[in-house]
Structure formats: structure tokens, C-alpha cells
Amino acid sequence: MEDKIKKLINENIPDAVCTFEGDACNLKLTVVSKAFKELSLVNQHRKILKLLENDFESGELHALSLETRTN
């Protein structure tokens, strides 16, 4: 799942650096990108969650702790 998430994010945010901690039941994703510079924290998270929307809807991804930062 981590590879799929990373690929999806990098296809849409090319400079994004994704790091993962935990396992499928308790996954934490940190995304760092210059694309977040002009976005509020809420909108940064919305941008990432929108990319993962289909995975949440299908149940393939059911829980994710998300942190976003600019570099």
C-alpha cells in the first residue's frame, strides 16, 4: 500500500517526499512539498486526502495519520 500511495502522490505532486511509519492498521504518512507553501494546513491535508479518496472508499485504506509540511 505504501508504494501505491507514494506513486499516486508523486504523480500529482512531483517534488513530494513521502515517509511512512507504522503498519497498515496504524499508518502515519508525512508529505513534504513546496506545493504546500501557499496552502493552509487544512487545504494541504485536503489535497492529499483527495488523491487517496478512491482507496478510502474501496476500503483498501481505512486509517491514516497525516502530516504535511513545506520544504
Coordinates of all heavy atoms in Angstrom, one line a residue:
M1 N 0.8 -1.2 0.0 CA 0.0 0.0 0.0 C 0.9 1.3 0.0 O 0.5 2.2 -0.6 CB -0.9 0.0 1.2 CG -2.0 1.0 1.2 SD -3.2 0.7 -0.1 CE -3.9 2.2 -0.4
E2 N 2.0 1.2 0.7 CA 2.8 2.4 0.8 C 3.4 2.8 -0.6 O 3.4 4.0 -0.9 CB 4.0 2.1 1.7 CG 3.6 2.0 3.2 CD 4.7 1.7 4.1 OE1 5.9 1.9 3.7 OE2 4.5 1.3 5.3
D3 N 3.7 1.8 -1.4 CA 4.3 2.1 -2.7 C 3.2 2.7 -3.6 O 3.4 3.7 -4.3 CB 4.8 0.9 -3.4 CG 6.1 0.4 -2.8 OD1 6.8 1.2 -2.2 OD2 6.4 -0.8 -2.9
K4 N 1.9 2.2 -3.5 CA 0.8 2.8 -4.2 C 0.5 4.2 -3.8 O 0.3 5.1 -4.7 CB -0.4 1.9 -4.0 CG -1.6 2.4 -4.8 CD -2.8 1.5 -4.5 CE -4.0 2.0 -5.3 NZ -5.2 1.1 -5.1
I5 N 0.5 4.5 -2.5 CA 0.3 5.9 -2.1 C 1.4 6.8 -2.5 O 1.1 7.9 -3.1 CB 0.2 5.9 -0.5 CG1 -1.0 5.1 0.0 CG2 0.3 7.3 0.0 CD1 -1.1 4.9 1.5
K6 N 2.6 6.4 -2.4 CA 3.8 7.2 -2.8 C 3.7 7.5 -4.3 O 3.9 8.6 -4.7 CB 5.1 6.5 -2.5 CG 6.3 7.3 -2.6 CD 7.5 6.5 -2.2 CE 8.6 7.4 -1.8 NZ 9.7 6.7 -1.2
K7 N 3.4 6.5 -5.1 CA 3.3 6.7 -6.6 C 2.2 7.7 -6.9 O 2.4 8.6 -7.7 CB 3.0 5.3 -7.3 CG 3.0 5.4 -8.8 CD 2.8 4.0 -9.3 CE 2.9 4.0 -10.8 NZ 1.7 4.2 -11.5
L8 N 1.0 7.5 -6.3 CA -0.1 8.4 -6.6 C 0.2 9.8 -6.2 O -0.1 10.8 -7.0 CB -1.3 7.9 -5.8 CG -2.6 8.6 -6.0 CD1 -3.0 8.5 -7.5 CD2 -3.7 8.0 -5.1
I9 N 0.8 10.0 -5.1 CA 1.2 11.4 -4.6 C 2.2 12.0 -5.6 O 2.1 13.1 -6.0 CB 1.6 11.4 -3.2 CG1 0.4 11.1 -2.2 CG2 2.3 12.7 -2.8 CD1 0.8 10.9 -0.8
N10 N 3.3 11.2 -5.9 CA 4.3 11.7 -6.8 C 3.9 12.0 -8.2 O 4.4 12.9 -8.8 CB 5.5 10.8 -6.8 CG 6.3 10.9 -5.5 OD1 6.6 9.9 -4.9 ND2 6.7 12.1 -5.0
E11 N 2.8 11.3 -8.6 CA 2.3 11.6 -10.0 C 1.6 13.0 -10.0 O 1.5 13.6 -11.0 CB 1.3 10.5 -10.4 CG 1.9 9.2 -10.8 CD 1.0 8.1 -11.0 OE1 -0.3 8.3 -10.7 OE2 1.4 7.0 -11.5
N12 N 1.1 13.4 -8.8 CA 0.3 14.6 -8.7 C 1.1 15.8 -8.1 O 0.7 16.9 -8.3 CB -1.0 14.4 -8.0 CG -2.0 13.5 -8.7 OD1 -2.7 14.0 -9.6 ND2 -1.9 12.2 -8.5
I13 N 2.1 15.4 -7.3 CA 2.9 16.4 -6.6 C 4.4 15.9 -6.8 O 4.9 15.3 -5.9 CB 2.6 16.6 -5.1 CG1 1.1 16.8 -5.0 CG2 3.4 17.7 -4.5 CD1 0.6 16.8 -3.5
P14 N 5.0 16.2 -8.0 CA 6.3 15.6 -8.3 C 7.4 15.8 -7.3 O 8.2 15.0 -7.2 CB 6.6 16.3 -9.7 CG 5.3 16.7 -10.2 CD 4.4 17.1 -9.1
D15 N 7.4 16.9 -6.6 CA 8.5 17.2 -5.7 C 8.2 16.6 -4.3 O 9.0 16.8 -3.4 CB 8.9 18.7 -5.6 CG 7.9 19.5 -4.7 OD1 6.7 19.2 -4.8 OD2 8.3 20.4 -4.0
A16 N 7.1 16.0 -4.1 CA 6.7 15.4 -2.8 C 7.7 14.4 -2.3 O 8.1 13.5 -3.0 CB 5.3 14.9 -2.8
V17 N 8.0 14.5 -1.0 CA 8.8 13.4 -0.3 C 7.9 12.8 0.7 O 7.4 13.5 1.6 CB 10.1 14.0 0.3 CG1 10.8 12.9 1.1 CG2 11.0 14.7 -0.7
C18 N 7.7 11.5 0.5 CA 6.7 10.8 1.4 C 7.5 9.8 2.3 O 8.4 9.1 1.9 CB 5.8 9.9 0.6 SG 4.8 10.9 -0.6
T19 N 7.2 9.9 3.6 CA 7.8 8.9 4.6 C 6.6 8.3 5.3 O 5.6 8.9 5.6 CB 8.8 9.6 5.5 OG1 8.1 10.7 6.2 CG2 10.0 10.1 4.8
F20 N 6.8 7.0 5.7 CA 5.8 6.3 6.4 C 6.3 5.7 7.7 O 7.5 5.4 7.8 CB 5.4 5.1 5.5 CG 4.7 5.5 4.2 CD1 5.5 5.7 3.1 CD2 3.3 5.6 4.1 CE1 4.9 6.1 1.9 CE2 2.7 6.0 2.9 CZ 3.5 6.2 1.8
E21 N 5.4 5.6 8.6 CA 5.7 5.0 9.9 C 4.6 4.1 10.2 O 3.4 4.4 9.9 CB 5.9 6.0 11.0 CG 7.1 6.9 10.9 CD 7.2 7.9 12.0 OE1 6.8 7.6 13.1 OE2 7.6 9.1 11.6
G22 N 4.8 3.0 10.9 CA 3.8 2.1 11.4 C 3.4 1.0 10.4 O 4.2 0.8 9.5
D23 N 2.2 0.5 10.5 CA 1.8 -0.6 9.6 C 0.4 -0.3 9.1 O -0.1 0.8 9.3 CB 1.8 -1.9 10.4 CG 0.9 -1.9 11.6 OD1 -0.1 -1.2 11.6 OD2 1.2 -2.6 12.6
A24 N -0.2 -1.2 8.4 CA -1.4 -1.0 7.7 C -2.6 -0.6 8.6 O -3.5 0.2 8.2 CB -1.8 -2.2 6.9
C25 N -2.5 -1.0 9.9 CA -3.6 -0.7 10.8 C -3.3 0.7 11.5 O -4.2 1.2 12.1 CB -3.7 -1.8 11.9 SG -4.3 -3.3 11.2
N26 N -2.1 1.1 11.5 CA -1.7 2.3 12.2 C -0.7 3.1 11.4 O 0.5 3.2 11.8 CB -1.2 2.0 13.6 CG -1.0 3.2 14.5 OD1 -1.6 4.2 14.2 ND2 -0.2 3.1 15.5
L27 N -1.0 3.5 10.2 CA -0.1 4.1 9.3 C 0.0 5.6 9.4 O -1.1 6.3 9.4 CB -0.5 3.7 7.8 CG 0.5 4.1 6.7 CD1 1.8 3.4 6.9 CD2 -0.1 3.7 5.4
K28 N 1.2 6.1 9.5 CA 1.4 7.6 9.5 C 2.2 8.0 8.3 O 3.2 7.4 8.0 CB 2.2 8.0 10.8 CG 2.4 9.5 10.8 CD 3.3 10.0 11.9 CE 3.5 11.5 11.8 NZ 4.4 12.0 12.9
L29 N 1.6 8.9 7.6 CA 2.3 9.4 6.3 C 2.7 10.9 6.6 O 1.9 11.7 7.0 CB 1.3 9.3 5.2 CG 1.6 10.1 3.9 CD1 2.9 9.5 3.3 CD2 0.4 10.0 2.9
T30 N 3.9 11.2 6.2 CA 4.4 12.6 6.2 C 4.7 12.9 4.8 O 5.5 12.2 4.1 CB 5.6 12.7 7.1 OG1 5.3 12.3 8.5 CG2 6.1 14.2 7.2
V31 N 4.2 14.1 4.3 CA 4.4 14.5 3.0 C 5.0 15.9 3.1 O 4.5 16.8 3.7 CB 3.1 14.6 2.1 CG1 3.5 15.0 0.7 CG2 2.4 13.2 2.1
V32 N 6.2 16.1 2.4 CA 6.9 17.4 2.4 C 6.9 17.8 0.9 O 7.4 17.1 0.1 CB 8.3 17.3 3.0 CG1 9.0 18.6 3.0 CG2 8.2 16.7 4.4
S33 N 6.5 19.1 0.7 CA 6.5 19.6 -0.7 C 6.4 21.1 -0.7 O 5.8 21.7 0.1 CB 5.3 19.0 -1.5 OG 5.2 19.7 -2.7
K34 N 7.0 21.7 -1.7 CA 6.9 23.1 -1.9 C 5.5 23.5 -2.4 O 5.1 24.6 -2.2 CB 7.9 23.6 -3.0 CG 9.3 23.5 -2.5 CD 10.3 24.0 -3.6 CE 11.7 23.8 -3.1 NZ 12.7 24.1 -4.2
A35 N 4.8 22.5 -2.9 CA 3.4 22.8 -3.4 C 2.5 23.2 -2.2 O 1.4 23.8 -2.5 CB 2.8 21.5 -4.0
F36 N 2.9 23.0 -1.0 CA 2.0 23.3 0.1 C 2.3 24.7 0.6 O 1.6 25.2 1.5 CB 2.3 22.4 1.3 CG 2.0 20.9 1.0 CD1 2.8 19.9 1.5 CD2 0.9 20.6 0.3 CE1 2.5 18.6 1.3 CE2 0.6 19.3 0.0 CZ 1.4 18.3 0.5
K37 N 3.2 25.4 0.1 CA 3.7 26.7 0.6 C 2.5 27.7 0.7 O 2.4 28.4 1.7 CB 4.8 27.3 -0.3 CG 5.4 28.5 0.2 CD 6.6 29.0 -0.5 CE 7.2 30.2 0.2 NZ 8.5 30.5 -0.4
E38 N 1.7 27.8 -0.3 CA 0.6 28.8 -0.3 C -0.7 28.3 0.3 O -1.7 29.0 0.3 CB 0.4 29.3 -1.7 CG 1.6 30.0 -2.3 CD 2.1 31.2 -1.6 OE1 1.2 32.0 -1.1 OE2 3.3 31.4 -1.5
L39 N -0.7 27.0 0.8 CA -1.9 26.4 1.3 C -2.0 26.4 2.8 O -1.0 26.2 3.5 CB -2.0 25.0 0.8 CG -2.1 24.8 -0.7 CD1 -2.1 23.3 -1.1 CD2 -3.3 25.4 -1.3
S40 N -3.2 26.5 3.3 CA -3.4 26.3 4.8 C -3.1 24.9 5.1 O -3.2 24.0 4.2 CB -4.8 26.8 5.2 OG -5.7 25.8 4.7
L41 N -3.0 24.5 6.4 CA -2.8 23.2 6.8 C -4.0 22.3 6.4 O -3.8 21.2 5.9 CB -2.5 23.1 8.3 CG -2.2 21.7 8.9 CD1 -1.0 21.1 8.2 CD2 -2.1 21.8 10.4
V42 N -5.2 22.8 6.6 CA -6.4 22.1 6.2 C -6.4 21.8 4.7 O -6.7 20.7 4.3 CB -7.7 22.9 6.6 CG1 -8.9 22.3 6.0 CG2 -7.8 23.0 8.1
N43 N -6.0 22.8 3.9 CA -6.0 22.6 2.4 C -4.9 21.6 2.0 O -5.0 20.9 1.0 CB -6.0 23.9 1.7 CG -7.3 24.6 1.8 OD1 -8.4 23.9 1.9 ND2 -7.3 25.9 1.7
Q44 N -3.8 21.6 2.7 CA -2.7 20.7 2.4 C -3.2 19.3 2.6 O -3.0 18.4 1.8 CB -1.5 20.9 3.4 CG -0.8 22.2 3.1 CD 0.3 22.5 4.2 OE1 0.8 21.5 4.8 NE2 0.6 23.7 4.4
H45 N -3.9 19.0 3.7 CA -4.4 17.7 4.0 C -5.5 17.3 3.0 O -5.6 16.2 2.6 CB -5.0 17.7 5.5 CG -3.9 17.6 6.5 ND1 -4.0 16.9 7.7 CD2 -2.6 18.1 6.5 CE1 -2.9 17.0 8.4 NE2 -2.1 17.8 7.7
R46 N -6.4 18.3 2.7 CA -7.4 18.0 1.7 C -6.8 17.6 0.4 O -7.3 16.7 -0.3 CB -8.3 19.2 1.5 CG -9.3 19.5 2.6 CD -10.2 20.7 2.3 NE -11.1 20.9 3.4 CZ -11.6 22.0 3.7 NH1 -11.4 23.1 3.0 NH2 -12.5 22.1 4.7
K47 N -5.7 18.2 0.0 CA -5.1 17.9 -1.3 C -4.6 16.4 -1.3 O -4.8 15.7 -2.3 CB -3.9 18.9 -1.5 CG -3.2 18.7 -2.8 CD -2.1 19.8 -3.0 CE -1.5 19.8 -4.3 NZ -2.2 20.5 -5.3
I48 N -4.0 16.0 -0.2 CA -3.5 14.6 -0.1 C -4.7 13.7 0.0 O -4.8 12.6 -0.7 CB -2.6 14.4 1.1 CG1 -1.3 15.3 0.9 CG2 -2.2 13.0 1.3 CD1 -0.5 15.0 -0.4
L49 N -5.7 14.0 0.8 CA -6.8 13.1 1.1 C -7.6 12.9 -0.2 O -8.2 11.8 -0.5 CB -7.6 13.5 2.2 CG -6.9 13.4 3.6 CD1 -7.8 14.0 4.7 CD2 -6.6 12.0 3.9
K50 N -7.7 13.9 -1.0 CA -8.5 13.9 -2.3 C -7.8 12.8 -3.2 O -8.5 12.1 -3.9 CB -8.5 15.2 -2.9 CG -9.3 15.3 -4.2 CD -10.8 15.0 -4.0 CE -11.5 15.2 -5.3 NZ -12.9 14.7 -5.2
L51 N -6.5 12.8 -3.2 CA -5.7 11.8 -4.0 C -6.0 10.4 -3.6 O -6.0 9.5 -4.4 CB -4.2 12.1 -4.0 CG -3.8 13.4 -4.5 CD1 -2.3 13.6 -4.3 CD2 -4.1 13.5 -6.0
L52 N -6.3 10.2 -2.3 CA -6.5 8.9 -1.7 C -7.9 8.5 -1.5 O -8.3 7.5 -1.0 CB -5.8 8.8 -0.3 CG -4.3 9.1 -0.3 CD1 -3.7 9.2 1.1 CD2 -3.5 8.1 -1.2
E53 N -8.8 9.4 -2.0 CA -10.3 9.2 -1.9 C -10.7 7.8 -2.3 O -11.5 7.1 -1.6 CB -11.0 10.3 -2.7 CG -12.4 10.3 -2.5 CD -13.1 11.5 -3.1 OE1 -12.6 11.9 -4.3 OE2 -13.9 12.2 -2.5
N54 N -10.3 7.3 -3.5 CA -10.8 6.0 -4.0 C -10.3 4.9 -3.1 O -11.1 3.9 -2.9 CB -10.3 5.8 -5.4 CG -11.0 6.7 -6.4 OD1 -12.1 7.2 -6.2 ND2 -10.3 7.0 -7.5
D55 N -9.1 5.0 -2.5 CA -8.6 4.0 -1.7 C -9.4 3.9 -0.4 O -9.6 2.8 0.2 CB -7.1 4.2 -1.4 CG -6.3 4.0 -2.6 OD1 -6.4 3.0 -3.3 OD2 -5.5 4.9 -3.0
F56 N -9.8 5.0 0.2 CA -10.7 5.1 1.3 C -12.1 4.5 1.0 O -12.6 3.7 1.8 CB -10.8 6.5 1.9 CG -9.6 6.9 2.8 CD1 -8.8 7.9 2.3 CD2 -9.4 6.3 4.0 CE1 -7.7 8.3 3.1 CE2 -8.3 6.7 4.8 CZ -7.5 7.7 4.3
E57 N -12.6 4.9 -0.1 CA -14.0 4.5 -0.5 C -14.0 3.0 -0.7 O -15.0 2.3 -0.4 CB -14.5 5.2 -1.7 CG -14.8 6.6 -1.4 CD -15.3 7.4 -2.7 OE1 -15.3 6.8 -3.8 OE2 -15.6 8.6 -2.5
S58 N -12.9 2.4 -1.3 CA -12.9 1.0 -1.6 C -12.6 0.1 -0.3 O -12.9 -1.1 -0.3 CB -11.8 0.6 -2.6 OG -10.5 0.8 -2.0
G59 N -12.1 0.8 0.7 CA -11.8 0.1 2.0 C -10.4 -0.4 2.0 O -9.9 -1.0 3.0
E60 N -9.6 -0.2 0.9 CA -8.3 -0.7 0.8 C -7.4 0.1 1.8 O -6.5 -0.5 2.4 CB -7.7 -0.5 -0.6 CG -6.3 -1.1 -0.8 CD -5.9 -1.0 -2.2 OE1 -6.6 -0.5 -3.1 OE2 -4.7 -1.4 -2.5
L61 N -7.8 1.3 2.1 CA -7.1 2.2 3.1 C -8.2 2.6 4.0 O -9.2 3.2 3.6 CB -6.5 3.4 2.4 CG -5.7 4.4 3.2 CD1 -4.5 3.7 3.9 CD2 -5.2 5.5 2.4
H62 N -8.0 2.3 5.3 CA -9.1 2.6 6.2 C -8.7 3.6 7.3 O -9.5 4.2 8.0 CB -9.7 1.4 6.8 CG -8.8 0.5 7.5 ND1 -8.4 0.7 8.8 CD2 -8.2 -0.6 7.1 CE1 -7.5 -0.2 9.2 NE2 -7.4 -1.1 8.2
A63 N -7.4 3.8 7.5 CA -7.0 4.7 8.6 C -5.6 5.2 8.2 O -4.7 4.5 7.7 CB -6.8 3.9 9.9
L64 N -5.4 6.5 8.4 CA -4.2 7.2 8.0 C -4.0 8.4 8.9 O -4.9 9.3 9.0 CB -4.2 7.6 6.6 CG -3.0 8.3 6.0 CD1 -1.8 7.3 5.9 CD2 -3.3 8.9 4.7
S65 N -2.9 8.5 9.5 CA -2.5 9.7 10.2 C -1.6 10.5 9.3 O -0.7 10.0 8.7 CB -1.7 9.3 11.5 OG -1.2 10.5 12.1
L66 N -1.9 11.8 9.1 CA -1.3 12.6 8.0 C -0.6 13.8 8.6 O -1.2 14.5 9.4 CB -2.4 13.0 7.0 CG -1.9 13.8 5.8 CD1 -0.8 13.1 5.0 CD2 -3.1 14.2 5.0
E67 N 0.6 14.0 8.1 CA 1.3 15.3 8.5 C 1.8 15.8 7.2 O 2.4 15.1 6.3 CB 2.5 15.0 9.4 CG 3.3 16.2 9.8 CD 4.4 15.9 10.7 OE1 4.4 14.8 11.4 OE2 5.3 16.7 10.8
T68 N 1.7 17.1 7.0 CA 2.2 17.8 5.8 C 3.0 19.0 6.2 O 2.8 19.6 7.2 CB 1.0 18.3 4.9 OG1 0.2 19.1 5.6 CG2 0.3 17.1 4.3
R69 N 4.1 19.2 5.4 CA 5.0 20.3 5.6 C 5.5 20.8 4.3 O 5.6 20.1 3.3 CB 6.2 19.8 6.5 CG 5.9 19.5 7.9 CD 7.1 19.2 8.7 NE 7.1 17.7 8.8 CZ 8.2 17.0 8.8 NH1 9.4 17.5 8.7 NH2 8.2 15.7 9.0
T70 N 6.0 22.1 4.3 CA 6.7 22.6 3.2 C 8.2 22.5 3.4 O 8.6 22.3 4.5 CB 6.4 24.1 3.0 OG1 6.8 24.9 4.1 CG2 4.9 24.4 2.8
N71 N 8.9 22.5 2.3 CA 10.4 22.4 2.5 C 11.0 23.6 2.0 O 10.5 24.6 1.5 CB 10.9 21.2 1.7 CG 10.6 21.2 0.3 OD1 9.8 22.0 -0.2 ND2 11.2 20.3 -0.4

